[in-house]
Amino acid sequence: MNEPEAQAAALAAYFDRHPAAIRKQNGVAVFRALPGAYLDALGGPAYCLQGNRPLADELARQGFPPVTELPPVLDQAIVFATKHREEILYHLALAAERLRDGGVLIVSAANALGASSLERRCTELMGPVDTFSKHKCRVIRAHQQTGRLNQGLLKAWRQAGALQRVAATGFYSGPGVFSWKRLDTGSALLAAHLPADLRGRGADLGAGYGYLSHAALTRAPGIAALHLFEAESRALDAARLNLRELASPADQHFHWADVTAGLGLSGLDFVIMNPPFHAGRGAVPVLGQAFVRAALAALRSGGRLFMVANRHLPYEGALQAASAEIRTLAEEAGFKVIAARKA
């Protein structure tokens, strides 16, 4: 059982043990909602917030499609921990400020994601808490009480977790977005090797906050249209901010999508990408290979692919079947930049 599954299972076990802990009159907001049996236990309106497209699709299949807006007042809010501390605290702040007096905040956190630290932070924000442990996770419950909410922490956590222009990069980004505080080394290496003769219709797969798209549009004036595909909606919001003031005449299209399910495009002239190869804390090279297959399927004959990857990852095999030409443009700092032309 991975950490998200364990957190969902721990919350379901908590509700089985404490059914009176469910408050549902005005609805329950679930931040970074996960699929799981706990949702069926809620028994009332559940406002699920989840920006990861594959997880959002799973929630929809369970009958709980994610939303983007919340009612102004909630009886209960549930926050699932992620590996990004600023993101968790941001969600705690957003949840706490919407709770009515007497409302309940519940946090489900894997021990490996700092459950004990989050218990302390919840206490600092809202006062005394109750806890429940299961599946190497901790479920933390706090009550909203008039005058007890720490307004200083609330403001600080909201500011730290919001989309913001990062001084170190000059780009908008935020917690929960890949490499949000610094330029990713691999992406920077690929950006340095993008040719200026890119033209026509192209795509950036796993676009993140738009760094590679920005580099391509700045360098290649012949680009007529660029499609950004990204599974994390918050990263896509940042990408819109980062590309909106570019002088490039190219049409910009933003797709909240799971690239591994296909692009729904064909005849592209070029694709650029720094494909992910992690799911949670584990390395999953097949994820990057699925990106390669999606890119090749969307390219026209003669279309070009430019990608960066960790040097040891086996992507050349996936390229060889459909490529007339494969070249390694650079190998540096543990990364390789590959250019391929579709046969």
Side-chain angles (χ1 to χ4, degrees):
M1 190 182 299
N2 61 32
E3 287 161 357
E5 291 170 342
Q7 290 179 160
L11 186 57
Y14 175 74
F15 286 150
D16 284 343
R17 183 78 63 88
H18 303 283
I22 300 173
R23 309 287 181 88
K24 57 190 179 184
Q25 181 177 350
N26 293 318
V28 180
V30 189
F31 291 79
R32 279 297 186 188
L34 298 170
Y38 75 92
L39 285 166
D40 298 319
L42 296 179
Y47 302 95
C48 293
L49 299 165
Q50 177 52 265
N52 176 275
R53 187 55 190 263
L55 287 175
D57 290 343
E58 286 189 46
L59 287 164
R61 286 191 288 270
Q62 193 179 340
F64 295 88
V67 301
T68 56
E69 298 291 334
L70 294 176
V73 180
L74 295 164
D75 289 311
Q76 188 169 64
I78 296 169
V79 174
F80 282 104
T82 69
K83 63 182 180 180
H84 303 283
R85 180 48 53 93
E86 297 100 328
E87 181 184 32
I88 304 171
L89 299 180
Y90 178 64
H91 289 157
L92 289 179
L94 294 181
E97 69 181 4
R98 288 180 181 268
L99 287 173
R100 64 167 178 81
D101 188 41
V104 176
L105 172 67
I106 292 180
V107 180
S108 184
N111 294 338
L113 294 177
S116 61
S117 174
L118 281 176
E119 181 180 340
R120 292 192 298 272
R121 304 304 274 173
C122 287
T123 301
E124 292 170 353
L125 180 66
M126 299 182 68
V129 302
D130 300 318
T131 63
F132 169 83
S133 295
K134 188 76 171 178
H135 302 304
K136 298 182 180 180
C137 297
R138 191 173 305 188
V139 177
I140 305 158
R141 183 178 68 171
H143 289 82
Q144 170 68 294
Q145 300 178 55
T146 301
R148 291 295 299 270
L149 193 63
N150 187 319
Q151 296 295 330
L153 282 182
L154 196 75
K155 180 179 179 180
W157 293 355
R158 283 207 62 169
Q159 289 179 342
L163 285 181
Q164 56 199 267
R165 191 184 291 276
V166 179
T169 66
F171 289 91
Y172 284 97
S173 189
V177 176
F178 170 69
S179 194
W180 79 275
K181 287 183 177 179
R182 60 178 180 81
L183 289 181
D184 171 65
T185 303
S187 294
L189 184 62
L190 175 55
H193 287 83
L194 289 177
D197 66 349
L198 292 176
R199 61 183 63 256
R201 298 168 57 242
D204 180 357
L205 308 189
Y209 59 77
Y211 171 71
L212 286 175
S213 290
H214 190 283
L217 291 172
T218 301
R219 180 169 301 179
I223 297 175
L226 187 61
H227 295 261
L228 285 75
F229 286 81
E230 172 55 46
E232 178 53 57
S233 61
R234 198 161 203 240
L236 211 57
D237 290 340
R240 290 187 179 94
L241 293 175
N242 289 322
L243 300 188
R244 66 183 177 180
E245 296 177 354
L246 278 179
S248 169
D251 293 331
Q252 300 172 13
H253 305 274
F254 300 87
H255 305 268
W256 183 44
D258 178 5
V259 167
T260 66
L263 307 187
L265 295 176
S266 60
L268 294 180
D269 297 292
F270 67 91
V271 171
I272 58 177
M273 65 181 188
N274 179 0
F277 67 96
H278 282 92
R281 293 173 178 264
V284 186
V286 293
L287 185 58
Q289 292 167 348
F291 268 62
V292 170
R293 289 192 294 271
L296 292 173
L299 285 168
R300 64 170 174 81
S301 178
R304 294 185 291 171
L305 169 64
F306 296 88
M307 65 176 290
V308 65
N310 288 66
R311 187 177 294 167
H312 67 279
L313 291 174
Y315 293 146
E316 286 80 1
L319 290 166
Q320 286 169 353
S323 301
E325 176 188 344
I326 303 172
R327 292 183 296 140
T328 299
L329 301 183
E331 290 191 64
E332 186 177 316
F335 293 92
K336 56 187 175 185
V337 175
I338 300 171
R341 188 181 297 273
K342 184 175 177 179

